[in-house]
Amino acid sequence: MPPHAARNKEIVEQRLRDVAVGAGLQETLTIEWRTKPQVVQVIDMPVGSLYYNPGTHRIRAQRSFDAAQDRRLDEDPWSDESQSYLDQLLKAEPSDPAKRDKDFDELQQSLKDFRQNEPGLITREGILVNGNTRAAALRELGVAEIRVAVLPDSCTWADINKVELSLQLRHDTRRPYSYINRLLTIDEQVEAGRPLKEVARDFRIRESTAEQDLWVLSCLRDLSDRSANGDVHLRLLDFEDAQEKLREVHRAYAKESKADPRSAELLKENRLAAIVMDFSKTDVRLIEANFRSRYLDQRLPEELKSAPVAAPARVIPGINRAVKAEAPEVAAARAFTDSVLRAKAVVRSKDKVPAARLEQAAAVFDVAHRAVEDALEPAGKDARVRKRKQAAPDRLYDACQDIEQCITDMILASGSRSLDEEALDEAVLKLRTTLTKLARATAGSITVPGEGVEWLRDAVRQDQS
């Protein structure tokens, strides 16, 4: 318990008694308490006497910004040093806790101009369950007291986590969870035994989206583990700004894995490497399963080409079932991604590593980045060519679907005797003119016509004869 828990509890209970016997309208807050709505009383509390919640989901990923401070938070979350670290994180950008968050400044200005719109929520010992960021803003503004509702005396840490989550997911003016913190919260709820469908409903997303989020989190944890380079590694928060790119990787991977799991793994590794190197979403889309073999290999230096020795197939003990070894090309792609990850981990930790080590890692990262950048140029050109080649057939397929719908509409209209026959005749004449133009265009662009183009030309010739 916090060192001043008993004193806070005395203040809370006295103010609850004062409110109970006072005249006038009493402010309350409705919370979800052990699966049922419960109304709790709102009081004013000295903001300086309250404690930030070390388990708040709002800064779960950001705690890893400073490993030593994070360890101290686990050991003694109520110390002045730990509470000061939480205060810093609550004011910081989710993707870079070294910078102050503009959203925090906007919240602070709103509190200065309009005061509190919604009360926070505390335990009787003075631990902030909801309203941590608002408390940080009010303290910085020099405001003496904060309006807070009070949880029942019997609350546990499990209750605190559930209530915080339910309040944060309400549609109001609260700052939303950052992307990584949302992934961690979904994972925490599932690990606690809640059905994924129920968790998705709480977050107001489809179950398939929640499954996607868990897949992305699994990838990010894998990337973080693989980035370990001595005493440094990438943190989950280092991927905070890659939300849309990671979701697109999942969609592409899921689609490819239905046809070819090996190609899906190649595509995933190739795209994850590009995301680690901070390429744009448009660039990442150009990277397919064959990106390395077709465009990148020839531009990579030998030290970044080498793949690990292929591991033999494993046998699962007890059932003697063999597990296929990783394909050599997938192993090579993973090795390249690992090199980039380890180099970036050192570059991101430039204040913690010797200058020589930083210079070496930066050189590896720059060479890899330049090679991928050079490979993206021909990949982009080929993609544009493919798009132009496919544009005309795609438009014809769309036209066919429109004609199929036209047939259905005609049948329905004729059944109700509402068909405009003159308008239909004009439209068919327009179609004949358009098909004639199409036939002439094929004559100038297709030297060896297939069955479909040949039919079109014959039909136009017969119409004109």
Side-chain angles (χ1 to χ4, degrees):
M1 277 291 155
H4 300 300
R7 186 179 68 188
N8 280 338
K9 192 167 185 177
E10 287 179 10
I11 297 172
V12 167
E13 291 180 347
Q14 180 59 52
R15 295 196 176 191
L16 286 173
R17 286 194 293 270
D18 292 344
V19 168
V21 299
L25 186 65
Q26 298 180 4
E27 184 180 6
T28 60
L29 177 71
T30 302
I31 62 172
E32 185 179 327
W33 179 253
R34 298 174 182 171
T35 73
K36 296 179 181 178
Q38 177 152 331
V39 176
V40 290
Q41 193 68 52
V42 173
I43 61 173
D44 289 335
M45 279 292 288
V47 69
S49 71
L50 302 181
Y51 291 90
Y52 296 126
N53 176 10
T56 178
H57 298 94
R58 181 166 298 286
I59 53 172
R60 182 69 55 83
Q62 286 68 34
R63 281 184 46 165
S64 64
F65 175 67
D66 186 320
Q69 294 272 32
D70 191 21
R71 283 194 298 273
R72 276 192 284 272
L73 261 175
D74 287 333
E75 294 164 2
D76 186 4
W78 315 116
S79 69
D80 290 344
E81 189 175 26
S82 292
Q83 288 288 302
S84 177
Y85 183 50
L86 291 172
D87 184 80
Q88 172 194 338
L89 296 180
L90 288 164
K91 301 172 184 176
E93 278 189 14
S95 59
D96 186 0
K99 298 178 182 177
R100 188 175 171 95
D101 190 3
K102 293 179 181 177
D103 288 342
F104 176 82
D105 288 335
E106 290 179 6
L107 170 67
Q108 189 178 63
Q109 188 62 46
S110 175
L111 288 169
K112 183 178 180 180
D113 294 341
F114 309 109
R115 306 180 70 179
Q116 272 183 270
N117 290 325
E118 294 283 338
L121 183 66
I122 62 170
T123 67
R124 296 186 181 233
E125 293 74 22
I127 301 169
L128 284 154
V129 177
N130 190 46
N132 286 271
T133 313
R134 280 170 283 170
L138 290 170
R139 284 177 177 177
E140 197 168 81
L141 287 171
V143 176
E145 303 219 332
I146 181 174
R147 285 170 36 241
V148 288
V150 183
L151 283 177
D153 198 18
S154 62
C155 75
T156 65
W157 277 107
D159 294 324
I160 289 172
N161 287 332
K162 289 178 182 177
V163 171
E164 183 207 359
L165 180 61
S166 66
L167 286 173
Q168 288 297 335
L169 294 178
R170 286 182 179 178
H171 285 300
D172 57 17
T173 57
R174 292 181 182 87
R175 295 165 66 206
Y177 285 155
S178 72
Y179 177 54
I180 300 299
N181 285 324
R182 195 185 80 151
L183 299 185
L184 289 170
T185 305
I186 291 173
D187 180 65
E188 177 190 88
Q189 296 294 305
V190 172
E191 287 297 311
R194 294 186 64 198
L196 185 60
K197 187 174 183 179
E198 183 181 307
V199 176
R201 186 174 62 248
D202 284 351
F203 277 83
R204 299 180 178 88
I205 58 177
R206 294 190 299 272
E207 187 175 359
S208 59
T209 303
E211 290 173 347
Q212 180 188 72
D213 286 342
L214 292 176
W215 183 91
V216 167
L217 180 60
S218 175
C219 281
L220 294 184
R221 283 173 167 161
D222 180 54
L223 291 177
S224 178
D225 291 342
R226 289 161 58 187
S227 73
N229 189 345
D231 55 344
V232 298
H233 65 92
L234 291 177
R235 304 152 301 186
L236 295 181
L237 67 89
D238 291 320
F239 299 93
E240 185 69 59
D241 294 330
Q243 175 176 346
E244 288 305 317
K245 288 182 275 190
L246 290 165
R247 284 179 167 173
E248 288 195 1
V249 170
H250 173 264
R251 286 193 289 269
Y253 176 84
K255 182 179 179 181
E256 188 71 24
S257 61
K258 293 176 182 177
D260 187 345
R262 183 191 63 83
S263 291
E265 288 298 323
L266 277 173
L267 181 145
K268 182 182 77 170
E269 283 298 326
N270 290 338
R271 291 197 176 188
L272 288 177
I275 290 172
V276 172
M277 288 184 276
D278 297 319
F279 281 97
S280 69
K281 184 166 64 174
T282 305
D283 285 337
V284 174
R285 286 174 183 163
L286 297 173
I287 297 175
E288 300 293 343
N290 65 350
F291 177 76
R292 174 162 177 154
S293 60
R294 187 168 182 180
Y295 306 107
L296 183 58
D297 261 341
Q298 57 190 296
R299 294 170 173 84
L300 279 178
E302 288 302 320
E303 60 268 23
L304 289 177
K305 276 186 183 180
S306 56
V309 177
R314 294 184 294 109
V315 176
I316 301 175
I319 62 175
N320 292 324
R321 179 173 294 177
V323 178
K324 288 184 179 180
E326 193 172 57
E329 54 269 40
V330 176
R334 282 181 62 87
F336 175 68
T337 306
D338 289 348
S339 297
V340 173
L341 284 165
R342 289 193 291 268
K344 186 168 183 177
V346 174
V347 172
R348 278 290 180 100
S349 306
K350 58 184 178 182
D351 296 332
K352 303 176 184 178
V353 297
R357 185 180 172 195
L358 174 62
E359 184 178 351
Q360 182 182 18
V364 170
F365 189 85
D366 289 345
V367 168
H369 191 282
R370 193 159 49 248
V372 172
E373 190 173 37
D374 291 345
L376 282 168
E377 185 174 349
K381 289 179 179 177
D382 286 352
R384 288 190 292 273
V385 169
R386 286 196 300 272
K387 191 173 181 180
R388 285 197 299 270
K389 286 181 176 179
Q390 195 61 35
D394 283 347
R395 290 185 187 280
L396 277 181
Y397 279 119
D398 290 344
C400 289
Q401 290 178 358
D402 287 342
I403 292 174
E404 291 286 349
Q405 184 60 49
C406 171
I407 294 169
T408 302
D409 293 343
M410 279 180 58
I411 294 171
L412 293 174
S414 61
S416 60
R417 301 192 178 189
S418 59
L419 180 63
D420 188 337
E421 296 181 4
E422 289 186 6
L424 178 65
D425 191 62
E426 289 179 6
V428 172
L429 289 174
K430 176 63 176 175
L431 175 62
R432 183 177 70 175
T433 302
T434 303
L435 288 175
T436 301
K437 290 180 180 178
L438 179 61
R440 288 171 183 165
T442 64
S445 57
I446 299 177
T447 54
V448 183
E451 183 180 350
V453 173
E454 193 63 58
W455 170 86
L456 176 63
R457 292 178 182 177
D458 286 343
V460 169
R461 280 195 295 267
Q462 290 175 18
D463 181 66
Q464 292 175 341
S465 60

